Amino acid sequence: MKYSLCIGAYSGKDVIYHLQKVKEHDFQGLEYYCWWELPDIKALAKQQQQIGVGISATCTKFISLVDIGLRDQYIEGLRQTIEACRILNIQSIVSQTGNELANIPRAVQLKTMVDTLKLCVPMLEKAGLVLELEPLNTLVDHQGHFLVRSDDAAAVIDQVDSPYVKLVFDVYHQQISEGNVIRNATNYVDRINHYHIADNPGRQEPGTGELNYANILRAIQATGFAGYIGLECKYSKDTDIAINEFKANILSLLNVCK
């Protein structure tokens, strides 16, 4: 398994600083959410090569998969994101779904999502990029978000039926939404391209809350998963100290950390 940090891990620091920290901690990637906020992506592509690590995942530019009236904007935003990924050698694009629409049956919104994703597949296939749907919890952080449960996300992916549309399984969100984390994180591994990790409550670094991350990561590792595990979390202490404790107290138990 590979590990990534997320932009914002070092408050007030830019993308280059974060990439240098990724390298320092012997991780393999950085998640940078809003690629369109980067001042010069071509210059950054060269700097990534010099540092030796790069951005591993970013987000779609426009979010709405359930509103058919916004389909064209979603597809155009994805087209622009794919071009940015080509320049920056990013392999994964994370997409939320948007909020559930009032007065439109959920089944209709679900069909809109599936049909829109099917329209996106040829672009993704040509670029060799994976689009990752992200379920979010509605109890604490994202009231009204359409896609919440991992089984619903897996059903969407099955209907789209493309290796270029998968799931990002956020352990923090799924702990709040459904629990049963190890079972769901492993049962759906063939649909999962990428995991996010943070503890609950508080969304701070693993080891600060109720989730047993040594057991969770060991179970994911046992499936043969070889993709990214992203630390999408806040930090309860100095970031470097927190990451070193995560490596010493959790990753060392998996024999994946030098």
Side-chain angles (χ1 to χ4, degrees):
M1 298 189 293
K2 298 177 286 188
Y3 289 83
S4 56
L5 296 180
C6 293
I7 194 69
Y10 296 88
S11 180
K13 300 297 185 180
D14 65 8
V15 62
I16 298 301
Y17 185 92
H18 278 76
L19 287 170
Q20 290 168 337
K21 284 294 185 178
V22 169
K23 184 75 170 181
E24 177 184 319
H25 284 291
D26 200 25
F27 286 176
Q28 291 77 41
L30 173 71
E31 297 185 40
Y32 190 97
Y33 309 125
C34 303
W35 63 264
W36 51 93
E37 294 180 355
L38 293 166
D40 188 338
I41 61 175
K42 291 183 178 178
L44 177 57
K46 295 179 181 178
Q47 290 170 305
Q48 287 184 153
Q49 291 181 334
Q50 293 169 354
I51 295 169
V53 294
I55 298 174
S56 54
T58 191
C59 292
T60 47
K61 189 173 182 181
F62 186 85
I63 300 169
S64 181
L65 279 168
V66 296
D67 189 339
I68 195 168
L70 299 176
R71 176 177 284 166
D72 289 346
Q73 290 97 314
Y74 182 89
I75 292 174
E76 173 57 21
L78 180 61
R79 186 197 65 77
Q80 293 178 27
T81 302
I82 288 172
E83 175 59 17
C85 289
R86 183 189 65 79
I87 295 169
L88 291 167
N89 195 33
I90 300 170
Q91 297 302 307
S92 300
I93 302 170
V94 177
S95 178
Q96 288 81 41
T97 64
N99 282 2
E100 188 166 358
L101 303 175
N103 304 319
I104 296 178
R106 186 172 176 87
V108 172
Q109 297 178 66
L110 185 63
K111 185 177 186 304
T112 297
M113 183 192 305
V114 171
D115 290 348
T116 300
L117 291 169
K118 285 181 176 179
L119 291 171
C120 294
V121 165
M123 287 193 299
L124 296 164
E125 184 174 2
K126 182 178 179 180
L129 294 173
V130 175
L131 181 68
E132 305 173 342
L133 298 183
E134 184 172 24
L136 304 175
N137 85 77
T138 56
L139 182 64
V140 177
D141 300 291
H142 298 279
Q143 185 175 2
H145 191 258
F146 183 87
L147 195 62
V148 176
R149 294 179 56 87
S150 57
D151 54 356
D152 289 339
V156 169
I157 291 163
D158 288 348
Q159 289 181 67
V160 177
D161 193 23
S162 168
Y164 297 97
V165 178
K166 290 196 171 185
L167 165 66
V168 53
F169 188 103
D170 188 306
V171 173
Y172 164 79
H173 285 302
Q174 298 318 122
Q175 167 70 355
I176 293 170
S177 297
E178 61 192 11
N180 226 5
V181 166
I182 288 178
R183 182 175 285 110
N184 291 332
T186 55
N187 280 356
Y188 298 121
V189 70
D190 59 331
R191 282 93 147 193
I192 294 169
N193 195 59
H194 171 200
Y195 292 85
H196 280 160
I197 59 174
D199 224 321
N200 183 56
R203 202 171 191 171
Q204 294 178 332
E205 72 271 15
T208 57
E210 65 189 358
L211 288 158
N212 187 327
Y213 266 105
N215 283 348
I216 292 168
L217 293 175
R218 189 182 291 115
I220 294 170
Q221 184 183 49
T223 68
F225 179 77
Y228 276 97
I229 309 286
L231 275 79
E232 192 183 42
C233 58
K234 297 179 285 188
Y235 293 90
S236 64
K237 58 189 72 173
D238 175 83
T239 303
D240 287 326
I241 292 174
I243 293 171
N244 284 331
E245 289 180 355
F246 168 68
K247 292 191 291 186
N249 298 334
I250 297 175
L251 291 195
S252 64
L253 302 179
L254 280 70
N255 299 316
V256 298
C257 186
K258 293 180 182 179

